[in-house]
Amino acid sequence: ELERRLAALDRLPVRTPRSLRTVAQLRADLAAVQERGYSVDDEQGVPGIRCFGVGVGSPGPPTAVSATRYSSP
């Protein structure tokens, strides 16, 4: 499913100067998330917003926990 979706992308939306700009960058970021076990959004979607997320193993439906930090200039 992921490969099908990535193959269909021409470009990524650029929302901030830190946004991932190419599918290759997105693939690299996804590989890094998989390797370290958690995700990081360092102002990639909204300036001043940093997020961290991690999947939590459970016998039920998939679950994730995230934390968000906002800093203003």
Side-chain angles (χ1 to χ4, degrees), residues 16 21 28 44 53-54 60-61 69 73:
T16 76
R21 298 176 186 279
Q44 293 167 331
V54 64
R69 178 176 183 252

Side-chain angles (χ1 to χ4, degrees), residues 9-70:
L9 292 174
D10 289 332
R11 59 191 168 143
L12 301 177
V14 177
R15 296 188 173 115
T16 76
R18 293 178 178 247
S19 293
L20 300 175
R21 298 176 186 279
T22 67
V23 174
Q25 287 176 324
L26 177 57
R27 285 180 187 278
D29 189 56
L30 291 171
V33 168
Q34 194 169 32
E35 185 172 318
R36 71 177 171 253
Y38 62 91
S39 64
V40 178
D41 176 343
D42 188 9
E43 299 185 33
Q44 293 167 331
V46 179
I49 300 287
R50 291 182 179 92
C51 306
F52 300 87
V54 64
V56 178
S58 66
T63 305
V65 176
S66 68
T68 303
R69 178 176 183 252
Y70 173 73

